[in-house]
């Protein structure tokens, strides 16, 4: 849903949706590169929808490959974009991660409990 705000971890590496960590895009991407990759991602998502409507497994597979390529380019999948040696917790439950205490505190706050998804963080 457009406009939803999800808490972002203090290091800017993940946002949390329904208790699960999802990797943020690489903040080191240029605005043009990020824009191109987001367009590729959205085109791929539309292509998946069209392939499902036309019941074309081959077209759906190609569209999903396009999505995966875009997400890897954005840094949301594949090799991590940070270089401090910290492990990747993408798709892990936040409650069983090093972010558990931060998230518990964020949930207790009535408003403004963390940065909104999409804010820029230093590397």
């Amino acid at each position: 849903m457009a406009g939803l705000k999800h808490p972002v971890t203090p290091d800017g590496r993940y946002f949390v949706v329904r208790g699960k960590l999802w990797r943020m895009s690489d903040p080191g991407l240029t605005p043009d590169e990020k824009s191109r990759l987001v367009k590729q991602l959205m085109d791929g998502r539309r292509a998946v929808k069209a392939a499902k409507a036309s019941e074309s497994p081959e077209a759906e597979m190609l569209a999903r490959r396009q999505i995966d390529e875009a997400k890897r380019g954005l840094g949301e999948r594949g090799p991590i974009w940070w270089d401090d040696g910290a492990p990747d917790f993408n798709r892990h439950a936040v409650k069983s991660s090093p972010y558990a205490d931060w998230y518990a505190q964020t949930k207790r706050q009535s408003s403004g409990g963390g940065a909104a998804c999409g804010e820029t963080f230093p590397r």
Side-chain angles (χ1 to χ4, degrees):
M1 286 185 194
L4 274 183
K5 301 211 178 205
H6 302 287
V8 174
T9 58
D11 57 14
R13 293 177 180 164
Y14 307 95
F15 63 97
V16 182
V17 177
R18 290 186 223 142
K20 193 177 265 191
L21 293 163
W22 296 93
R23 200 184 312 164
M24 297 283 289
S25 296
D26 181 351
L29 293 172
T30 67
D32 286 345
E33 183 70 1
K34 185 172 182 179
S35 178
R36 182 187 68 76
L37 290 164
V38 168
K39 181 183 181 324
Q40 179 182 335
L41 174 64
M42 301 315 291
D43 288 348
R45 287 179 172 164
R46 283 187 289 276
V48 166
K49 182 178 179 180
K52 284 183 173 185
S54 67
E55 298 180 2
S56 173
E58 298 84 14
E60 184 178 345
M61 183 181 70
L62 289 172
R64 290 191 182 280
R65 192 174 299 147
Q66 179 179 352
I67 290 169
D68 186 63
E69 183 180 303
K71 286 190 153 282
R72 287 176 181 279
L74 287 164
E76 297 173 9
R77 291 185 185 160
I80 56 176
W81 46 259
W82 52 89
D83 57 10
D84 64 1
D88 187 12
F89 292 100
N90 193 35
R91 296 179 160 181
H92 285 70
V94 69
K95 68 182 180 182
S96 59
S97 78
Y99 302 99
D101 291 340
W102 161 82
Y103 188 62
Q105 180 65 30
T106 298
K107 286 178 63 173
R108 283 193 287 272
Q109 296 174 352
S110 60
S111 66
C117 187
E119 289 189 27
T120 306
F121 291 87
R123 275 184 119 171

